[in-house]
Amino acid sequence: MNSIILKGRAKINLTLDVVGKRENGYHDLEMIMQTVNLYDTIYIRKTKVSGIRLKANYSWLPTNEKNIAYRAAQLFFEEAGIDGGIAIEITKRIPVAAGLAGGSTDAAATLIGLNRLYETNYSREKLMEMGLKLGADVPFCIARGTMLAEGIGEELTPLTPMPHTHVVLVKPPISVSTAVVYKNLDLNCIKKHPETKTVIEALEEGNVQKIADHMSNVLEEVTIAMHPEIEKLKQDFMKQGAMGAMMSGSGSTVFGLFNTREAASRAAKYFKMHHNIREVYVTTTYSPILKNREDKRQRRGLRRRGAKRC
């Protein structure tokens, strides 16, 4: 195999709690992370010339060590002891600096893709260990699905997959620095911590409305103080019929959960028209477990239909 195409999927947070701060400045987190079906496409092919060449569909994206996917390739070759030559092409769809792990998921896809291309047979755990050297969200982006994330985000516990749910993502035209948000977070001033256990129970029950009712993100207070329009987006999501709405990560993306595709599409149209926001996406939640079950059902259906034709 000389080339491979992968999907680097975005994530949202169903809860995000900050429970402590370490001496090294990192924060201890407790959050529920969920993969969604908005994705970047990462095309990787081997080249005869050694080295890493990277290009993207946006001219302003870095194509050197400043790009986390580039660094992921460097790390892989160092770990594997391979003098490889590859070309990486990234088609970005996930908004940048938006709280959706757009860069981390590209790095995750790069590690997965190179592992397959070079047949190094690294386990998922080994890839996640490598990914942590690049960023705290990379291990989750390798694992994907519905996870409780603790520590700095690298301690992952699989949860009951979230039921198939329609999601609208709205990225206002503002950039939020994660470092600035955490710097301005005062742990003693957090008014309400997320009910993470309640959301885990709701996942086990398959109760999306209960999940939506108890979504919470302690970073909202800091980010909304800097960008009040985020609170307005949350309010308008509820007016448009969302089951619940929340900011993802440190922002600035706000998402809403909807019962139907039609309701989600109507809300997306509203935000494009009335807020004049370009980066609005209608998507769904993603689970590797549920996808595998669906794939098996489809294969069984094809076999049955094939038998009937014979």
Side-chain angles (χ1 to χ4, degrees), residues 226-237:
M226 296 186 289
H227 303 285
E229 56 265 50
I230 290 174
E231 179 61 34
K232 172 63 174 170
L233 290 175
K234 286 182 61 181
Q235 293 172 0
D236 280 4
F237 260 117

Side-chain angles (χ1 to χ4, degrees), residues 210-229:
K210 185 175 177 181
I211 295 169
D213 289 341
H214 291 88
M215 293 191 308
S216 182
N217 180 349
V218 299
L219 299 182
E220 283 186 339
E221 289 187 25
V222 178
T223 307
I224 289 173
M226 296 186 289
H227 303 285
E229 56 265 50

Side-chain angles (χ1 to χ4, degrees), residues 67 100 149 165 172 201 204 214 237:
N67 190 302
L100 299 174
T165 306
E201 290 173 1
E204 293 170 349
H214 291 88
F237 260 117

Side-chain angles (χ1 to χ4, degrees), residues 152-165:
I152 62 171
E154 86 288 7
E155 299 173 18
L156 299 172
T157 303
L159 300 175
T160 302
M162 185 171 180
H164 183 79
T165 306

Side-chain angles (χ1 to χ4, degrees), residues 160-176:
T160 302
M162 185 171 180
H164 183 79
T165 306
H166 298 278
V167 183
V168 176
L169 305 166
V170 177
K171 163 64 169 63
I174 55 176
S175 294
V176 175

Side-chain angles (χ1 to χ4, degrees), residues 40 53 59 115 166 224 239 267 292:
D40 294 342
R53 291 189 291 120
S59 60
N115 189 41
H166 298 278
I224 289 173
K239 291 176 182 177
N292 288 339

Side-chain angles (χ1 to χ4, degrees), residues 21-26:
K21 187 175 182 180
R22 303 180 182 184
E23 291 182 0
N24 61 8
Y26 284 96

